[in-house]
Each structure stands twice: as C-alpha cells, then as structure tokens.
Amino acid sequence: MSPEQYVQDKAAKSGSSFYYAFLFLPAPKRAAITAFYAFCREVDDVVDETSDPSVAAVKLAWWRKEASSAFAGQPQHPVMLALMPHCATYDIRLEHLTAVIEGCQMDLEQTRFLDYPGLQRYCHLVAGVVGEVASGIFGRTHADSIAYAHKLGLAMQLTNIIRDVGDDARRGRIYLPISELQQFDVKAHEILLRKSPWGYSERFTALMKFQAERAHRLYDEAFALLPEADRRAQKPGLMMANIYRALLREIEAENFRVLEQRIALTPVRKLWIAMRTNWAGR
C-alpha cells in the first residue's frame, strides 16, 4: 500500500463528515487535505484507542519526533510521506502539526475543563488550527478567511462535544465546562451515570440548549466573517459546516438524547448536504 493509498483508506474508513467535502476538491487539493486529515486521525486515535495513558503519551512523543523529522527531510510514517509533498504548496507548517498533537496531549492530562475559556484553548488546538490549515488548502486570498476558519472550527468542535457527551463520559471525560455545569446545577456524577435513567433532567436539557445556542451563534459569526472573494474556494468548508449544523439540529430535534446513544446523520444525507452546498455555494 502506497502512502497515498494509506491516507485515502484512513479517511474513507473514518466515516467522518469531512470526507464528503473532500470529494468535491480537485485532485491535488484532495490529496493534500486527505493526508492532513489522516495525520489528525492518527494522532487522535492514539488518545481514543490506547487505554494506558502512559503508553499514549509515548506514542504522542513519537509523533512529535516524527513530525520534526519529516520537516527536516526524513519522514518515515506513511501519513508523513503522503503529507510532506504538499506542505510547501499549501503553507502547512510544523507548528500546525505540533498544535494538533498538543491538543491531544491535553486529552491525556485533563478530563475536565474549569470554564469556557479553557475549553476554547483546547478547541483552538484540535479544531481551530485544523480549520486554518484546511482553509489554506481550499484556497484563500483574505486574512478574514483565517478568522472565519478558526471560528468555524470552534463551532464544529462544540457540536462534536454536544454529540459525544455520552461517549466521552464512558471514557471518564466531561468537556462541558465545570462552571456551566454549576450554572445549570448539573452534577458530574449524573452525566457519568451508565444506566437508565442516565443523566437526563430538565436541568441537563437546559444546559445542552445553552451549548447548542452558543454553537449556532458561532456558525453565524463564522459565516459573516467569510469574505465574498473566498466563498467559492471555501465551499468544502461550508459543506462541512452545513453537515455539522444539520447534525446539531438533529440532536436538538431528539431533545439532546446524547447520553445513551450517538446521534448521527446517514451517509446519504451527508452527501446530499454536500451536493446542495456545492450547487448553492453557501
């Protein structure tokens, strides 16, 4: 399997909404974003699929070294072999990769966030930086497109957090800020409950509505930041945003039943949203 086949297989098997947006890119950009996405998946999988935190820390340290070696001209891993030919063309820098690794390191070192600014810092590393790199690959001519990409990344990561409250709790993690749990009088032990009635209550629903409303505001603010001159080039990002926002609305329609299940859109629906965005241009 060639490095290019490896990253393509990694992206396709992820089932991510991102994959559907990649389909609409010209071949060189599709190759670049697929390789970068595969890197993000590899690093994220270290945390999600390694039960021993000390082993995961060693693996992340290896990825730091591998990224540095790759930018020094000595890539080894198939992901880095596939990614490096695109870095100069699309201004993908070592600092972008190390930021993603640092975000995953945070997952190993803390399972709670005291307040929203702390959560924002985490989202910047694992999503905002990813949005910046992606927007550069898609094509941008205006600095406002970077601000748009960071804000959109934050909105999408908050959507992930809303969707994954139950999954994360089963790993012992709560990404919802402690200060906001206290604001709505939701106890951590309720969210961590692993049997019926789970942690559902009017208080939990109010907390989740608060989270969803903030995410919707961020989507609107991100769209307002995108310069018209870059809108056509940034259509893949808009596809991803529309897919994620449709997921958020689905979660709202299900009254935030996210503790015992993982609400998701079907592949056909994701593809349809991507196609509709491609036609409409927004």
Side-chain angles (χ1 to χ4, degrees):
M1 182 183 291
S2 69
E4 291 72 24
Q5 289 170 327
Y6 181 93
V7 297
Q8 174 64 30
D9 187 63
K10 187 79 176 179
K13 285 183 176 178
S14 72
S16 169
S17 302
F18 287 68
Y19 180 71
Y20 296 88
F22 300 169
L23 298 174
F24 294 84
L25 286 166
K29 293 185 177 185
R30 185 167 66 248
I33 194 65
T34 300
F36 178 67
Y37 177 75
F39 166 81
C40 295
R41 282 256 51 91
E42 289 282 355
V43 176
D44 191 57
D45 287 349
V46 167
V47 177
D48 287 344
E49 297 179 3
T50 306
S51 57
D52 187 335
S54 63
V55 173
V58 170
K59 290 183 177 182
L60 287 182
W62 184 90
W63 272 107
R64 286 181 186 272
K65 183 178 179 181
E66 169 64 5
S68 296
S69 296
F71 276 85
Q74 296 179 308
Q76 297 180 36
H77 195 280
V79 164
M80 298 310 299
L81 289 166
L83 178 61
M84 291 313 298
H86 306 288
C87 289
T89 303
Y90 299 110
D91 192 29
I92 304 170
R93 302 187 297 274
L94 176 59
E95 65 194 67
H96 293 135
L97 274 59
T98 55
V100 174
I101 296 170
E102 183 183 344
C104 292
Q105 187 76 35
M106 288 181 70
D107 275 324
L108 293 181
E109 295 172 350
Q110 65 183 95
T111 58
R112 304 286 190 277
F113 291 88
L114 180 61
D115 52 24
Y116 180 58
L119 181 61
Q120 279 182 297
R121 167 64 179 162
Y122 168 76
C123 292
H124 165 74
L125 294 171
V126 300
V129 172
V130 174
E132 179 181 335
V133 172
S135 70
I137 294 172
F138 299 154
R140 61 174 184 253
T141 62
H142 200 289
D144 283 351
S145 291
I146 299 177
Y148 145 80
H150 276 275
K151 186 149 288 193
L152 185 58
L154 175 57
M156 293 169 66
Q157 186 63 26
L158 292 180
T159 302
N160 277 340
I161 288 169
I162 292 167
R163 177 196 64 194
D164 294 341
V165 171
D167 283 348
D168 290 331
R170 283 182 279 280
R171 295 187 176 101
R173 301 179 193 160
I174 299 176
Y175 289 93
L176 303 173
I178 292 172
S179 62
E180 294 173 5
L181 293 177
Q182 294 172 339
Q183 178 183 341
F184 289 91
D185 194 29
V186 174
K187 312 300 183 186
H189 71 82
E190 294 175 313
I191 292 177
L192 295 170
L193 191 65
R194 298 192 182 191
K195 60 183 180 180
S196 182
W198 308 98
Y200 295 116
S201 65
E202 290 183 0
R203 294 171 288 108
F204 176 79
T205 301
L207 169 66
M208 298 306 289
K209 285 181 178 178
F210 177 82
Q211 305 297 321
E213 287 166 2
R214 177 163 57 202
H216 279 303
R217 285 197 305 273
L218 288 165
Y219 281 114
D220 290 338
E221 291 169 8
F223 295 152
L225 284 170
L226 179 59
E228 194 62 36
D230 283 352
R231 184 169 294 276
R232 181 178 179 84
Q234 294 297 321
K235 276 198 293 186
L238 294 173
M239 292 176 192
M240 291 185 281
N242 288 337
I243 291 171
Y244 268 71
R245 202 166 193 183
L247 170 62
L248 181 58
R249 289 178 175 130
E250 188 74 15
I251 293 169
E252 290 173 308
E254 293 284 336
N255 202 31
F256 302 100
R257 298 289 300 188
V258 292
L259 292 174
E260 86 283 23
Q261 63 179 344
R262 192 174 193 268
I263 298 172
L265 304 181
T266 65
V268 170
R269 189 172 174 191
K270 291 177 183 178
L271 182 59
W272 165 245
I273 294 170
M275 293 173 64
R276 186 181 63 198
T277 305
N278 188 51
W279 295 330
R282 61 183 63 245

Coordinates of all heavy atoms in Angstrom, one line a residue, residues 25-94:
L25 N -13.2 18.4 -4.2 CA -12.0 19.1 -4.5 C -11.2 18.6 -5.7 O -11.3 17.4 -6.0 CB -11.0 19.0 -3.3 CG -11.4 19.8 -2.0 CD1 -10.6 19.3 -0.8 CD2 -11.2 21.3 -2.3
P26 N -10.5 19.4 -6.4 CA -9.6 18.9 -7.5 C -8.5 18.0 -6.9 O -8.2 18.1 -5.7 CB -9.0 20.2 -8.0 CG -9.2 21.2 -7.0 CD -10.4 20.9 -6.3
A27 N -8.0 17.1 -7.7 CA -7.1 16.1 -7.2 C -5.9 16.5 -6.3 O -5.7 16.0 -5.2 CB -6.6 15.2 -8.4
P28 N -5.2 17.6 -6.6 CA -4.1 18.0 -5.8 C -4.5 18.4 -4.4 O -3.9 18.1 -3.4 CB -3.4 19.1 -6.6 CG -3.8 18.9 -8.0 CD -5.2 18.4 -7.9
K29 N -5.6 19.2 -4.3 CA -6.1 19.7 -3.0 C -6.7 18.5 -2.3 O -6.6 18.5 -1.0 CB -7.1 20.8 -3.2 CG -6.5 22.1 -3.8 CD -7.5 23.2 -3.8 CE -6.8 24.5 -4.3 NZ -7.7 25.7 -4.3
R30 N -7.4 17.6 -3.0 CA -7.9 16.5 -2.3 C -6.8 15.6 -1.7 O -7.0 15.1 -0.5 CB -8.8 15.7 -3.3 CG -9.5 14.5 -2.6 CD -10.6 13.9 -3.5 NE -10.0 13.3 -4.7 CZ -10.1 13.7 -5.9 NH1 -10.8 14.8 -6.2 NH2 -9.6 13.0 -6.9
A31 N -5.7 15.5 -2.4 CA -4.6 14.7 -1.9 C -4.0 15.3 -0.6 O -3.7 14.7 0.4 CB -3.5 14.5 -2.9
A32 N -3.9 16.7 -0.6 CA -3.3 17.4 0.5 C -4.2 17.3 1.7 O -3.7 17.0 2.8 CB -3.1 18.8 0.1
I33 N -5.5 17.6 1.6 CA -6.4 17.6 2.7 C -6.6 16.2 3.3 O -6.7 16.0 4.5 CB -7.8 18.3 2.4 CG1 -8.5 18.6 3.7 CG2 -8.6 17.4 1.4 CD1 -7.9 19.6 4.6
T34 N -6.6 15.2 2.4 CA -6.7 13.8 2.8 C -5.5 13.4 3.7 O -5.7 12.7 4.7 CB -6.9 12.8 1.6 OG1 -8.1 13.2 0.9 CG2 -7.0 11.4 2.1
A35 N -4.3 13.8 3.3 CA -3.1 13.4 4.0 C -3.1 14.2 5.4 O -2.8 13.6 6.4 CB -1.9 13.8 3.2
F36 N -3.5 15.4 5.4 CA -3.5 16.2 6.6 C -4.6 15.6 7.6 O -4.4 15.4 8.8 CB -3.8 17.7 6.4 CG -3.9 18.5 7.6 CD1 -2.8 18.7 8.4 CD2 -5.1 19.0 8.0 CE1 -2.9 19.4 9.6 CE2 -5.2 19.8 9.2 CZ -4.1 20.0 10.0
Y37 N -5.8 15.3 7.0 CA -6.8 14.7 7.8 C -6.4 13.4 8.4 O -6.6 13.1 9.6 CB -8.1 14.5 7.0 CG -9.2 13.9 7.8 CD1 -9.9 14.5 8.8 CD2 -9.5 12.5 7.6 CE1 -10.9 13.9 9.5 CE2 -10.5 11.9 8.3 CZ -11.2 12.6 9.3 OH -12.2 12.0 10.0
A38 N -5.7 12.6 7.6 CA -5.2 11.3 8.1 C -4.2 11.5 9.3 O -4.2 10.7 10.2 CB -4.5 10.5 7.0
F39 N -3.4 12.5 9.2 CA -2.5 12.8 10.3 C -3.3 13.1 11.6 O -3.0 12.6 12.6 CB -1.6 14.0 10.0 CG -0.9 14.6 11.2 CD1 0.3 14.0 11.6 CD2 -1.4 15.7 11.8 CE1 0.9 14.5 12.8 CE2 -0.8 16.2 13.0 CZ 0.4 15.6 13.4
C40 N -4.3 14.0 11.4 CA -5.1 14.3 12.6 C -5.8 13.1 13.2 O -5.9 12.9 14.4 CB -6.2 15.3 12.2 SG -5.5 16.9 11.7
R41 N -6.3 12.2 12.3 CA -6.9 10.9 12.8 C -5.9 10.1 13.5 O -6.2 9.5 14.5 CB -7.5 10.2 11.6 CG -8.8 10.7 11.1 CD -10.0 9.9 11.6 NE -10.0 9.6 13.0 CZ -10.6 10.4 13.9 NH1 -11.2 11.5 13.5 NH2 -10.6 10.0 15.2
E42 N -4.7 9.9 13.0 CA -3.7 9.1 13.6 C -3.4 9.6 15.0 O -3.4 8.8 16.0 CB -2.4 9.1 12.8 CG -2.4 8.3 11.5 CD -2.3 6.8 11.6 OE1 -2.1 6.3 12.7 OE2 -2.5 6.1 10.6
V43 N -3.2 10.9 15.2 CA -2.9 11.4 16.5 C -4.1 11.3 17.4 O -3.9 10.9 18.6 CB -2.4 12.9 16.3 CG1 -2.2 13.5 17.7 CG2 -1.2 13.0 15.5
D44 N -5.3 11.6 16.9 CA -6.5 11.5 17.8 C -6.7 10.1 18.2 O -7.1 9.8 19.3 CB -7.7 12.0 17.0 CG -8.9 12.2 17.9 OD1 -8.8 13.0 18.9 OD2 -9.9 11.6 17.6
D45 N -6.4 9.1 17.3 CA -6.6 7.7 17.7 C -5.7 7.2 18.8 O -6.0 6.3 19.5 CB -6.4 6.8 16.4 CG -7.6 6.9 15.4 OD1 -8.6 7.5 15.8 OD2 -7.4 6.4 14.3
V46 N -4.6 7.8 18.9 CA -3.6 7.5 20.0 C -4.3 7.7 21.3 O -4.2 6.8 22.2 CB -2.4 8.4 19.9 CG1 -1.6 8.3 21.2 CG2 -1.5 8.0 18.7
V47 N -5.1 8.7 21.5 CA -5.8 9.0 22.7 C -7.0 8.1 22.9 O -7.3 7.6 23.9 CB -6.2 10.5 22.8 CG1 -7.0 10.8 24.1 CG2 -4.9 11.4 22.8
D48 N -7.8 8.0 21.8 CA -9.1 7.3 21.9 C -8.9 5.8 21.9 O -9.8 5.1 22.5 CB -10.0 7.7 20.7 CG -10.5 9.1 20.8 OD1 -10.4 9.7 21.9 OD2 -11.0 9.7 19.8
E49 N -7.9 5.3 21.4 CA -7.8 3.8 21.2 C -6.7 3.2 22.1 O -6.5 2.0 22.1 CB -7.5 3.4 19.8 CG -8.7 3.8 18.9 CD -8.4 3.5 17.4 OE1 -7.3 2.9 17.1 OE2 -9.3 3.8 16.6
T50 N -6.0 4.0 22.9 CA -4.9 3.5 23.8 C -5.4 3.6 25.2 O -5.6 4.7 25.7 CB -3.6 4.3 23.6 OG1 -3.2 4.2 22.2 CG2 -2.5 3.6 24.4
S51 N -5.6 2.5 25.9 CA -6.2 2.5 27.2 C -5.3 3.0 28.3 O -5.7 3.6 29.3 CB -6.8 1.1 27.6 OG -5.7 0.2 27.5
D52 N -4.0 2.8 28.1 CA -3.0 3.2 29.1 C -2.4 4.6 28.8 O -1.8 4.7 27.7 CB -1.8 2.2 29.1 CG -0.8 2.4 30.2 OD1 -0.7 3.6 30.7 OD2 -0.1 1.4 30.6
P53 N -2.7 5.6 29.6 CA -2.3 6.9 29.3 C -0.8 7.1 29.1 O -0.3 7.9 28.3 CB -2.8 7.7 30.5 CG -3.9 6.9 31.1 CD -3.5 5.5 30.8
S54 N 0.0 6.3 29.9 CA 1.4 6.4 29.7 C 1.9 5.9 28.4 O 2.8 6.4 27.8 CB 2.1 5.6 30.8 OG 1.8 4.2 30.7
V55 N 1.3 4.8 27.8 CA 1.6 4.3 26.5 C 1.2 5.4 25.5 O 1.9 5.6 24.5 CB 0.9 3.0 26.2 CG1 1.1 2.6 24.8 CG2 1.4 1.9 27.2
A56 N 0.0 6.0 25.7 CA -0.5 7.0 24.7 C 0.5 8.2 24.7 O 0.8 8.8 23.7 CB -1.9 7.5 25.1
A57 N 1.0 8.6 25.9 CA 2.0 9.7 26.0 C 3.3 9.4 25.2 O 3.8 10.2 24.5 CB 2.3 10.0 27.4
V58 N 3.7 8.1 25.3 CA 4.9 7.7 24.5 C 4.6 7.8 23.0 O 5.4 8.2 22.2 CB 5.3 6.3 24.9 CG1 6.4 5.7 23.9 CG2 5.8 6.2 26.3
K59 N 3.4 7.4 22.6 CA 3.1 7.4 21.2 C 3.0 8.9 20.7 O 3.4 9.2 19.5 CB 1.7 6.7 20.9 CG 1.8 5.2 21.1 CD 0.5 4.5 20.8 CE 0.6 3.0 20.9 NZ -0.7 2.3 20.5
L60 N 2.4 9.8 21.5 CA 2.3 11.2 21.1 C 3.7 11.8 21.0 O 4.0 12.6 20.1 CB 1.5 12.0 22.1 CG 0.0 11.7 22.0 CD1 -0.7 12.6 23.0 CD2 -0.6 12.0 20.6
A61 N 4.6 11.4 21.9 CA 6.0 11.8 21.8 C 6.7 11.3 20.5 O 7.4 12.1 19.9 CB 6.8 11.3 23.0
W62 N 6.3 10.1 20.1 CA 6.9 9.6 18.9 C 6.4 10.4 17.7 O 7.1 10.8 16.8 CB 6.4 8.1 18.7 CG 7.0 7.6 17.4 CD1 8.2 6.9 17.3 CD2 6.5 7.6 16.1 NE1 8.5 6.5 16.0 CE2 7.4 7.0 15.2 CE3 5.3 8.1 15.5 CZ2 7.2 6.8 13.8 CZ3 5.1 8.0 14.2 CH2 6.0 7.4 13.3
W63 N 5.1 10.8 17.7 CA 4.5 11.6 16.6 C 5.2 13.0 16.6 O 5.4 13.6 15.5 CB 3.0 11.8 16.8 CG 2.3 10.6 16.1 CD1 1.7 9.6 16.6 CD2 2.2 10.4 14.7 NE1 1.2 8.7 15.7 CE2 1.5 9.2 14.5 CE3 2.7 11.1 13.6 CZ2 1.2 8.7 13.2 CZ3 2.4 10.6 12.3 CH2 1.7 9.4 12.1
R64 N 5.5 13.6 17.7 CA 6.2 14.9 17.8 C 7.6 14.7 17.1 O 7.9 15.6 16.2 CB 6.5 15.3 19.2 CG 5.2 15.9 19.9 CD 5.6 16.3 21.3 NE 4.4 16.7 22.1 CZ 3.9 17.9 22.1 NH1 4.5 18.9 21.4 NH2 2.9 18.2 22.9
K65 N 8.3 13.7 17.4 CA 9.6 13.4 16.8 C 9.4 13.2 15.3 O 10.2 13.7 14.5 CB 10.2 12.2 17.5 CG 11.7 11.9 17.0 CD 12.3 10.8 17.7 CE 13.7 10.5 17.2 NZ 14.3 9.3 17.9
E66 N 8.4 12.4 14.9 CA 8.2 12.1 13.5 C 7.9 13.3 12.7 O 8.4 13.5 11.6 CB 7.1 11.0 13.4 CG 6.6 10.8 11.9 CD 7.6 10.2 11.0 OE1 8.7 9.9 11.5 OE2 7.3 10.0 9.8
A67 N 7.1 14.2 13.3 CA 6.7 15.5 12.6 C 8.0 16.3 12.4 O 8.2 16.8 11.3 CB 5.7 16.2 13.3
S68 N 8.8 16.4 13.4 CA 10.0 17.2 13.3 C 11.0 16.6 12.3 O 11.6 17.3 11.5 CB 10.7 17.3 14.7 OG 9.9 18.0 15.6
S69 N 11.1 15.3 12.3 CA 12.0 14.6 11.4 C 11.5 14.8 9.9 O 12.3 15.0 9.0 CB 12.0 13.1 11.7 OG 12.6 12.9 12.9
A70 N 10.2 14.7 9.8 CA 9.6 14.9 8.4 C 9.9 16.3 7.9 O 10.3 16.4 6.7 CB 8.1 14.7 8.5
F71 N 9.8 17.3 8.7 CA 10.1 18.7 8.2 C 11.6 18.9 8.1 O 12.0 19.9 7.4 CB 9.5 19.7 9.1 CG 8.0 20.0 8.8 CD1 7.0 19.2 9.3 CD2 7.7 21.0 8.0 CE1 5.7 19.4 9.0 CE2 6.3 21.2 7.6 CZ 5.3 20.4 8.2
A72 N 12.4 18.0 8.6 CA 13.8 18.0 8.4 C 14.3 17.2 7.2 O 15.4 17.0 7.0 CB 14.6 17.5 9.7
G73 N 13.2 16.6 6.5 CA 13.5 15.8 5.3 C 13.6 14.4 5.5 O 14.0 13.6 4.6
Q74 N 13.2 13.8 6.7 CA 13.3 12.4 6.9 C 12.0 11.8 7.4 O 11.9 11.2 8.5 CB 14.4 12.1 7.9 CG 15.8 12.5 7.4 CD 16.8 12.2 8.4 OE1 16.8 12.6 9.6 NE2 17.9 11.5 8.0
P75 N 10.9 11.9 6.6 CA 9.6 11.3 7.0 C 9.7 9.7 7.0 O 10.4 9.2 6.1 CB 8.6 11.8 6.0 CG 9.4 12.0 4.8 CD 10.8 12.5 5.3
Q76 N 9.0 9.1 7.9 CA 9.0 7.6 8.0 C 7.6 7.0 7.8 O 7.4 6.1 7.1 CB 9.6 7.1 9.3 CG 11.1 7.5 9.5 CD 11.6 6.9 10.8 OE1 11.3 5.8 11.2 NE2 12.5 7.7 11.4
H77 N 6.7 7.6 8.6 CA 5.3 7.1 8.6 C 4.6 7.4 7.2 O 4.9 8.4 6.6 CB 4.5 7.7 9.7 CG 3.3 7.0 10.1 ND1 2.1 7.2 9.3 CD2 3.0 6.1 11.0 CE1 1.1 6.5 9.9 NE2 1.6 5.8 10.9
P78 N 3.8 6.5 6.8 CA 3.1 6.7 5.5 C 2.3 8.0 5.5 O 2.2 8.7 4.4 CB 2.1 5.5 5.4 CG 2.7 4.4 6.2 CD 3.5 5.1 7.3
V79 N 1.7 8.4 6.6 CA 1.0 9.7 6.6 C 1.9 10.9 6.3 O 1.6 11.8 5.5 CB 0.3 9.9 8.0 CG1 -0.1 11.3 8.2 CG2 -0.9 9.0 8.1
M80 N 3.1 10.9 6.9 CA 4.0 12.0 6.7 C 4.6 11.9 5.3 O 4.9 12.9 4.7 CB 5.1 11.9 7.8 CG 4.6 12.1 9.2 SD 3.5 13.5 9.4 CE 4.6 14.9 9.0
L81 N 4.8 10.7 4.8 CA 5.3 10.6 3.4 C 4.3 11.1 2.4 O 4.6 11.7 1.4 CB 5.6 9.1 3.1 CG 6.8 8.5 3.8 CD1 6.8 7.0 3.7 CD2 8.1 9.0 3.1
A82 N 3.0 10.9 2.7 CA 1.9 11.5 1.9 C 1.7 13.0 2.0 O 1.4 13.7 1.1 CB 0.6 10.7 2.2
L83 N 2.0 13.5 3.2 CA 1.7 14.9 3.5 C 2.8 15.8 3.1 O 2.5 16.9 2.6 CB 1.4 15.0 5.0 CG 1.2 16.4 5.6 CD1 -0.1 17.0 4.9 CD2 1.1 16.4 7.1
M84 N 4.0 15.4 3.3 CA 5.1 16.4 3.1 C 5.2 17.0 1.7 O 5.5 18.2 1.6 CB 6.5 15.7 3.4 CG 6.7 15.4 4.9 SD 6.2 16.7 6.0 CE 7.4 18.0 5.5
P85 N 4.9 16.3 0.6 CA 5.0 16.9 -0.7 C 4.0 18.1 -0.9 O 4.2 18.9 -1.8 CB 4.6 15.8 -1.7 CG 4.9 14.5 -1.0 CD 4.6 14.8 0.5
H86 N 3.0 18.2 0.0 CA 2.0 19.3 -0.1 C 2.3 20.5 0.8 O 1.6 21.5 0.7 CB 0.6 18.7 0.2 CG 0.3 17.6 -0.7 ND1 0.0 17.7 -2.0 CD2 0.2 16.2 -0.4 CE1 -0.3 16.5 -2.5 NE2 -0.2 15.6 -1.5
C87 N 3.2 20.3 1.8 CA 3.4 21.3 2.8 C 3.8 22.7 2.3 O 3.2 23.7 2.7 CB 4.3 20.8 3.9 SG 3.6 19.5 4.9
A88 N 4.8 22.7 1.4 CA 5.2 24.0 0.9 C 4.2 24.7 0.0 O 3.9 25.9 0.1 CB 6.5 23.8 0.1
T89 N 3.5 23.9 -0.7 CA 2.4 24.4 -1.6 C 1.3 25.1 -0.9 O 0.8 26.2 -1.2 CB 1.8 23.3 -2.5 OG1 2.9 22.7 -3.3 CG2 0.8 23.9 -3.5
Y90 N 0.9 24.5 0.2 CA -0.3 25.0 1.0 C 0.1 25.6 2.3 O -0.8 25.7 3.2 CB -1.3 23.8 1.1 CG -1.8 23.3 -0.2 CD1 -1.4 22.0 -0.6 CD2 -2.6 24.1 -1.0 CE1 -1.9 21.6 -1.9 CE2 -3.0 23.6 -2.3 CZ -2.6 22.4 -2.7 OH -3.1 21.9 -3.9
D91 N 1.3 25.9 2.6 CA 1.8 26.5 3.8 C 1.4 25.7 5.0 O 0.9 26.3 6.0 CB 1.3 28.0 3.9 CG 2.0 28.8 5.0 OD1 3.1 28.5 5.3 OD2 1.4 29.7 5.5
I92 N 1.6 24.4 5.0 CA 1.3 23.6 6.2 C 2.7 23.5 6.9 O 3.7 23.1 6.4 CB 0.9 22.2 5.8 CG1 -0.4 22.2 4.9 CG2 0.6 21.3 7.0 CD1 -0.8 20.9 4.3
R93 N 2.7 24.0 8.2 CA 3.9 24.2 8.9 C 4.0 23.2 10.1 O 2.9 22.7 10.6 CB 4.0 25.6 9.4 CG 4.0 26.6 8.3 CD 4.3 28.0 8.8 NE 3.3 28.5 9.7 CZ 2.2 29.2 9.4 NH1 1.9 29.3 8.1 NH2 1.4 29.6 10.3
L94 N 5.2 23.0 10.5 CA 5.4 22.1 11.7 C 4.6 22.5 12.9 O 4.0 21.7 13.6 CB 6.9 22.0 12.0 CG 7.3 21.2 13.3 CD1 6.9 19.8 13.2 CD2 8.8 21.3 13.5

